[in-house]
């Protein structure tokens, strides 16, 4: 078996290019009698075929198949390049593993390398190490001694505890959750003697039952007395190989300096981690401001590292707010990991004989821009006195800008409601019996599950049913109850244990980088609060208002909407949340105006002020003048009259003033919505979200089950066309029987047709069910997330093969245009598909590179942006080159400004929610196709979405004035 030794590894090499690095690697391999002298050419030849960059700063150069005759002996040589080598395409290699392969002995080492690729910390250690034996140990599969585990997840601040046992139990829970200790550690805890340090800080720990060394820390809200000494902060260590001693040494240093009070008074977990970190060096420091326009990116960071090359000292850097731990200032990758932006302040600390010189070099380097032009930082902290006054009094009068999440205008007093029951649970003792508490919790969970089951049975709205069904399934998740059960076994009461469990899971979800997934933390809190209410027998009914009002809350929960009296709640305003949360989706389906993301100042409201909530513009106007209230009420009344007029004429066709016909269809998920679409004048179904049929089943539904579901909808349409979108799920909305690995960004991952092509039996079963259900009725099947023609050819081959088995007389096959690549290839697709359906929601977010679920960016993900309009025009123009028709099934079609532009751009069909069909048809009948063509042409020449909205909004206002009788 091939084994590396320290002699096979070269440290601290440098190269100005990949070719030079490969030359050094080849020379090392020749010196080791692994290859002949000409092997460098073989390494270069392989790089021309394909890059050998593996990932995490590691490259694995090796010869081509034709060069095996030049290999003398199988072996590996490793060369470390601490400053990095550009391996092409912006990839920097720090560890280069040269391979001479005569046999297959080297494959084991390559296999170990793949594990390093998944371990960022180990890869960083290999890059920076001065010890060749560390590299040899990792590549030989020998586990180097692991670092002490301690980060912000091991810290709990401001805990309402009153005893050492309570604090120790919480610290142990964190260690258990991280799987660094076993229950054996917990059993021996009463025998351990806590040690008092000073200033309210205590230390306790042990080594029995420890899997890996780790530290946990707990800070109390109020100090208590333990053995006649103050107790405010507990540090617990779990020791293996004496690795905890570095933290104890750090505690002693803080003790001798009289600085332990910094732990006691810490306000965030990262501050505690920094104080206890042995990586923090003592020395001289300076604070610099980053003046580079793009922050400390690769070029200036590399310049900084180079400027420190010959200075004899240790240097670390951290953000001035201590949000992350200090990193090695000589390491390019660690510098880049800080993600430093323009205007950010950094603290550099240096220790050693040339520390002062190093800090002078650093300070001057940042002043000069590190080789780049500098951009001054504008001080935005000082504001005019008038502005400061407005900020303080905004809740007694003024306008707050949020994000419009559901259209409509509401004029009513505001009523404040909090979702804060969990924060009131205090664990005031630790002598509860697990045999009593565990059954209490299980009873509450069962009762909550039954509650949800009854709600699901009585509700008819598919969106709400799907979300509450998901909540019911969450209560089956053992992770929620298991963590709570562990705490109850330590003597905690059920309420506190449950609250700790679901809050922790919600916080983890909220911290996810994908904003849409982070918003799903509200679902976890919603489920948790439901059980907590049952445990505490808390009754919310007394807090409900009996008069019409605007519901003001911190975060809107789906269960709140399910119980809400929609006759009294005229609108909803929230401090937090996004426009695409589950609750926002439900509010839209219920027709309740909703504005989200108004900020925490909203929650300081003490008086039920009259307010105007505008869900179209995302505004909340507090304590408006009487004239504004009258105007808003008039606007709301006009909207109501328009809705009544639209409903009365909903069966009339959508033919413009100049006789241009456009089809208006409905977006549906089930039979009830199909029936509603027909009732409200829908001429077709433009989007059947077939994923909802799958959500009804824990396992994959059979062809017969699907066929029955589709057949009922087709029959309800009575000959109207059905456009069914094939299963569109992914990492953001997975199905139980199609598990997927976690993706950093599921919206750019394996979803839509990318997923079903990996599971062709799912696609084939669905297509068979659809075609069998259709018979001689018009069926249009569209496929989501199609990117290129190769995908389409694969899909089409499957569909045609299945079509041959069924007598599906009127079938069309099309694709969704939601990926910009598909829009740009529309002309190519047009000769092969029957239709395009533009999903403007996803097309907008992919075009603008903004997540439409992001609470701060969602308002900017506007389909009226000229770039999106250009792609829609490109799609329509491309469709004309074939004989494909073009529909739009995104929310742009329900926006009257967007509707006018879509008409002018030449789409053949628009598909909206069933509620929006009458209004859409009414406006289309009062528009001019020619005028809208001119409007679209002008819009395409504008610079941003705001300008387009202004232009289109003016046109729509003239139509509204005509409809309201204000203008003829």
């Amino acid at each position: 078996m091939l084994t590396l030794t320290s002699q096979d590894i070269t440290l601290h090499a440098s190269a100005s290019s990949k070719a030079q690095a490969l030359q050094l690697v080849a020379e090392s391999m020749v010196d080791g009698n692994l290859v002949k002298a000409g092997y460098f050419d073989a390494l270069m030849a392989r790089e021309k075929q394909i890059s050998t960059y593996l990932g995490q700063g590691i490259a694995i150069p090796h010869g081509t198949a034709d060069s095996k005759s030049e290999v003398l002996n199988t072996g590996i040589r490793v060369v470390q390049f601490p400053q990095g080598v550009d391996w092409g395409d912006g990839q920097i290699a720090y560890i280069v593993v040269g391979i001479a392969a005569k046999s297959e002995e080297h494959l084991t080492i390559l296999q170990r390398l793949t594990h390093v690729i998944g371990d960022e910390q180990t890869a960083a250690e290999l890059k920076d190490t001065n010890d060749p034996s560390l590299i040899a140990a990792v590549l030989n599969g020998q586990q180097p001694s692991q670092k002490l585990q301690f980060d912000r997840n091991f810290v709990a601040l401001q805990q309402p505890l009153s005893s050492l046992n309570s604090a120790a139990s919480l610290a142990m829970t964190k260690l258990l959750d991280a799987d660094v200790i076993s229950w054996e550690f917990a059993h021996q805890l009463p025998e351990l003697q806590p040690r008092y340090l000073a200033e309210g800080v205590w230390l306790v720990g042990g080594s029995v039952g420890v899997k890996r060394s780790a530290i946990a820390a707990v800070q109390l809200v109020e100090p208590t007395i333990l053995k006649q000494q103050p107790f405010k902060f507990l540090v617990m260590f779990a020791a293996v190989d004496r690795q905890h001693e570095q933290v104890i040494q750090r505690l002693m240093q803080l003790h001798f300096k009289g600085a332990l009070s910094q732990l006691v008074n810490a306000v965030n977990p990262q501050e505690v981690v920094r104080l206890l970190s042995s990586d923090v060096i003592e020395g001289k420091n300076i604070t610099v401001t980053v003046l580079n326009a793009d922050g400390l990116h690769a070029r200036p960071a590399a310049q900084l590292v180079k400027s420190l090359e010959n200075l004899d000292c240790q240097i670390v850097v951290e953000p001035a707010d201590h949000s992350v731990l200090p990193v090695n200032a000589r390491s390019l990758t660690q510098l880049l990991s800080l993600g430093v932006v323009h205007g950010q302040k950094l603290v550099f600390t240096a220790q050693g004989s040339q520390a002062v010189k190093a800090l002078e070099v650093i300070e001057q380097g940042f002043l000069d821009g590190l080789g780049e032009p500098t951009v001054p930082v504008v001080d935005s902290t000082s504001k005019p006195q008038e502005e400061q006054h407005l900020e303080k009094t905004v809740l007694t009068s003024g306008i707050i800008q949020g994000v419009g999440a559901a259209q409509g205008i509401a004029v009513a007093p505001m009523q404040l409601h909090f979702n804060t029951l969990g924060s009131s649970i205090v664990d005031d003792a630790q002598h509860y019996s697990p045999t009593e508490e565990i059954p209490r919790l299980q009873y509450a969970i069962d009762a909550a599950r039954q509650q949800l089951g009854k709600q699901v049975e009585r509700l008819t709205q598919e969106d709400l049913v799907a979300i509450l069904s998901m909540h019911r399934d969450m209560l089956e998740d053992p992770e929620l109850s298991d963590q709570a059960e562990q705490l109850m076994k330590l003597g905690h009461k059920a309420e506190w244990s449950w609250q700790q469990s679901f809050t922790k899971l919600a916080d983890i979800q909220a911290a996810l980088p994908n904003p849409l997934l982070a918003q799903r933390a509200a679902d976890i809190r919603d489920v948790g609060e439901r059980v907590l209410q049952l445990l505490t027998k808390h009754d919310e009914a007394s807090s409900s208002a009996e008069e019409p009002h605007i519901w003001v809350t911190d975060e809107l929960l789906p269960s709140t909407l399910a119980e809400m009296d929609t006759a009294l709640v005229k609108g909803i305003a929230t401090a937090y949340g996004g426009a695409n949360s589950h609750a926002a989706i439900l509010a839209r389906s219920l027709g309740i105006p909703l504005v989200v993301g108004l900020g925490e100042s909203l929650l300081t409201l003490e008086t039920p002020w009259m307010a105007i909530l505008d869900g179209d513009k995302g505004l909340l106007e507090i304590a408006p003048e009487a004239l504004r209230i009258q105007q808003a009420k008039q606007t709301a009344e006009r909207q109501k009259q328009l809705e009544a007029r639209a409903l009365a004429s909903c069966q009339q066709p959508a033919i413009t003033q100049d006789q241009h016909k456009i089809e208006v269809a409905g977006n549906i998920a089930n039979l009830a919505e199909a029936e509603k679409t027909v009732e409200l004048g829908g001429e077709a179904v433009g989007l059947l979200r077939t994923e909802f049929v799958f959500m009804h089943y824990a396992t994959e539904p059979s062809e017969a089950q699907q066929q029955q579901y589709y057949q009922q909808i087709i029959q309800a349409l009575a000959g109207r066309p059905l456009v069914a979108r094939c299963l569109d799920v992914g990492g953001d909305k997975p199905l139980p029987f199609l598990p997927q690995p976690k993706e950093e960004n599921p919206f750019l991952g394996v979803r839509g047709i990318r997923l079903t092509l990996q599971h062709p039996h799912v696609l084939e079963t669905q297509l068979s069910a659809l075609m069998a259900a259709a018979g001689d009725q018009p069926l249009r099947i569209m496929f989501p997330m199609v990117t290129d023609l190769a995908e389409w050819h694969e899909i089409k081959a499957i569909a045609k093969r299945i079509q041959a088995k069924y007598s599906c007389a009127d079938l069309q096959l099309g694709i969704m245009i939601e990926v910009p690549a598909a829009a740009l290839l529309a002309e190519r697709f047009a000769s092969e598909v029957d239709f395009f359906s533009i999903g403007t929601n996803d097309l907008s977010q992919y075009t603008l590179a903004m997540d439409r679920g992001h609470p701060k960016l969602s308002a900017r993900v506007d389909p009226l942006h000229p770039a999106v309009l250009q792609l829609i025009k490109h799609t329509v123009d491309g469709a004309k080159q074939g004989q494909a028709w073009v529909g739009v099934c995104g929310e742009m079609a329900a926006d009257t400004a967007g509707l006018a532009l879509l008409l002018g751009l030449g789409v053949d069909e628009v598909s909206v929610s069933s509620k929006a069909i009458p209004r859409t048809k009414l406006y289309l009948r009062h528009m001019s196709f020619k005028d809208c063509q001119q409007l679209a042409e002008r819009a395409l020449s504008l610079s941003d979405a705001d300008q387009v909205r202004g232009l289109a909004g003016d046109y729509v206002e003239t139509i509204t004035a005509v409809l309201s009788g204000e203008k003829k």
Side-chain angles (χ1 to χ4, degrees), residues 76-91:
I76 287 178
R77 287 296 181 269
V78 180
V79 182
Q80 179 201 54
F81 297 91
Q83 305 307 316
V85 179
D86 187 350
W87 220 255
D89 297 327
Q91 297 165 327

Side-chain angles (χ1 to χ4, degrees), residues 54 358 376 610 615 644 922:
L54 189 62
M610 180 65 74
L922 179 66

Side-chain angles (χ1 to χ4, degrees), residues 36-50:
K36 296 179 182 178
Y39 201 64
F40 168 73
D41 294 333
L43 296 179
M44 289 295 292
R46 171 64 74 179
E47 295 296 329
K48 290 179 181 178
Q49 292 177 357
I50 187 170

Side-chain angles (χ1 to χ4, degrees), residues 817 820 823-824 838 843 847 866-876:
I817 300 292
L824 294 170
I838 303 174
L843 182 64
T847 303
V868 181
L869 298 181
Q870 290 283 2
L871 289 175
I872 296 173
K873 181 180 185 300
H874 197 88
T875 302
V876 174

